[in-house]
Amino acid sequence: MTLDTGVPLPGTNETTVETAVVEQPPADPRRREMRSAQPEPEWEPPQSMVLPPAFTPIADPFAPVPQPLREPVPLAGLEARAISAWFGDHKVLDRVSLDVPAGEVTALIGPSGCGKSTFLRILNRMHELVPSASLAGEVLLDGIDVYDPSRKLIDARRQIGMVFQKANPFPAMSIYDNVIAGLKLTGRRASRDEKDQLVEECLTKGGLWKEVKDRLRQPGGGLSGGQQQRLCIARSLAVKPRVLLMDEPCSALDPTSTRVIEETMLELVQEVTIVIVTHNMQQAQRVSQNCAFFLASQGTPGVIVEHGDTDAMFNNPQDERTFDYVNGRFG
């Protein structure tokens, strides 16, 4: 490097020029990466913008880092202990106990009137909406009874969502507003960008995004029956439930829509535990890993005759009544 000392030579106006070698500090490889990522002409950020060694820089120092809408939570199972239920003086379930494994599909099968749907509604406190209804027993989520007086009703239903037999979207609401309707009910605030991301995410998981992405502002009531049911699934997913209850979700659908719903269930079970009531034995075999057979005979309350691995129950049941039912001999 050449330095000008500024001292004039004797008898001249010229100054002395000396050459000195100044050592350069080693180049920071991270800064080299940042420069190479910039378009021409090359630009080097000021020292104040260079990240300290404790951080790993991203390609564009000005790009916002996307944040997840919610931190992932562990999968949850349910445990029903000695559940009995009444409508007035009529007892419909008698000391039913069932463990619902986390991250799996559990199917509830049995003839009509045996208490399957009643049991399902008890799991997220829908049963208590009926004025004459009462129950005994416990439903444990993470070891805590959802009926505990200290537990808020809205928290129980947010963590344990439900899809009903008949699709029930808000008909006058747009598809977009149907999906995010639960946010207001649960008191969750979200920016417009977060809502947009949530709508796309839930409709994708519900198997509906590709069909409606260009008409999100159209009424949800204008969709076909199968699409409306998938919209209801997307709406349930928007509040991030840990367990999803499905009460005969395909009973009114054609085979094609049924297949799409079943495929959706098999994808969803990676992040949410599913309990489904079904009268379709083939569907129970296709989608569930566990199965519980309910039965009520001669006016007696419903009970679980047998429960366990789905393949074992259909191929090697332990109770003769289970064998007869899954093979279509009654019900």
Side-chain angles (χ1 to χ4, degrees):
M1 182 174 180
T2 303
L3 299 179
D4 188 347
T5 62
V7 180
L9 294 173
T12 70
N13 291 326
E14 298 181 1
T15 57
T16 304
V17 178
E18 297 181 0
T19 301
V21 178
V22 179
E23 293 185 1
Q24 298 292 332
D28 187 335
R30 293 171 301 161
R31 289 183 58 180
R32 191 162 53 240
E33 288 180 10
M34 291 179 68
R35 284 200 301 269
S36 62
Q38 302 299 323
E40 294 294 341
E42 291 188 355
W43 173 83
E44 180 177 344
Q47 185 64 33
S48 60
M49 294 179 57
V50 178
L51 297 177
F55 295 89
T56 301
I58 56 178
D60 183 356
F62 300 107
V65 179
Q67 298 295 330
L69 289 178
R70 190 195 66 161
E71 292 297 325
V73 296
L75 292 168
L78 284 175
E79 184 179 351
R81 292 181 177 176
I83 297 294
S84 296
W86 295 261
F87 291 105
D89 295 329
H90 179 54
K91 191 175 186 179
V92 294
L93 287 173
D94 184 28
R95 291 172 294 177
V96 172
S97 296
L98 180 66
D99 287 345
V100 177
E104 296 184 2
V105 178
T106 297
L108 309 182
I109 62 173
S112 297
C114 63
K116 307 182 301 295
S117 292
T118 297
F119 178 77
L120 192 76
R121 289 167 178 263
I122 286 173
L123 295 181
N124 79 334
R125 299 183 61 172
M126 295 293 291
H127 179 67
E128 62 190 42
L129 293 177
V130 180
S132 63
S134 58
L135 65 91
E138 296 178 315
V139 178
L140 305 181
L141 176 68
D142 294 331
I144 302 175
D145 188 4
V146 299
Y147 287 90
D148 190 297
S150 64
R151 193 157 193 167
K152 294 181 180 180
L153 174 61
I154 193 171
D155 289 340
R157 292 185 183 158
R158 181 184 62 80
Q159 296 192 70
I160 308 173
M162 189 159 189
V163 176
F164 296 92
Q165 181 176 358
K166 182 179 179 181
N168 58 347
F170 301 114
M173 276 190 183
S174 68
I175 296 169
Y176 184 101
D177 289 336
N178 260 279
V179 175
I180 62 174
L183 299 185
K184 184 179 295 185
L185 296 176
T186 56
R188 178 185 169 191
R189 295 184 178 181
S191 67
R192 179 57 183 269
D193 289 343
E194 287 178 323
K195 290 178 181 178
D196 291 346
Q197 180 182 346
L198 185 65
V199 168
E200 180 176 352
E201 175 187 328
C202 293
L203 288 174
T204 299
K205 290 178 180 178
L208 192 59
W209 173 251
K210 292 182 180 179
E211 299 172 39
V212 302
K213 62 181 180 179
D214 297 325
R215 47 180 175 142
L216 295 177
R217 296 301 174 180
Q218 295 183 12
L223 299 175
S224 68
Q227 289 175 326
Q228 288 187 21
Q229 190 66 297
R230 283 180 279 154
L231 177 58
C232 292
I233 292 174
R235 185 178 64 191
S236 298
L237 295 175
V239 294
K240 306 295 184 182
R242 303 177 66 194
V243 180
L244 186 60
L245 312 178
M246 308 182 82
D247 189 4
E248 298 186 61
C250 304
S251 62
L253 303 181
D254 60 88
T256 300
S257 297
T258 296
R259 178 179 55 81
V260 175
I261 296 279
E262 290 179 359
E263 291 172 352
T264 299
M265 292 171 58
L266 294 175
E267 294 176 3
L268 290 177
V269 78
Q270 305 298 322
E271 56 187 84
V272 62
T273 302
I274 296 177
V275 186
I276 179 175
V277 169
T278 180
H279 284 281
N280 187 325
M281 295 301 97
Q282 290 73 32
Q283 182 178 71
Q285 287 182 286
R286 287 192 298 264
V287 303
S288 71
Q289 292 79 48
N290 302 280
C291 194
F293 172 45
F294 284 69
L295 186 63
S297 58
Q298 300 177 350
T300 61
V303 297
I304 291 182
V305 173
E306 185 175 347
H307 65 87
D309 179 78
T310 297
D311 289 337
M313 282 191 58
F314 277 85
N315 298 317
N316 187 29
Q318 302 302 304
D319 192 287
E320 184 178 353
R321 294 170 293 178
T322 307
F323 179 86
D324 290 343
Y325 182 76
V326 299
N327 286 281
R329 295 185 179 180
F330 72 95

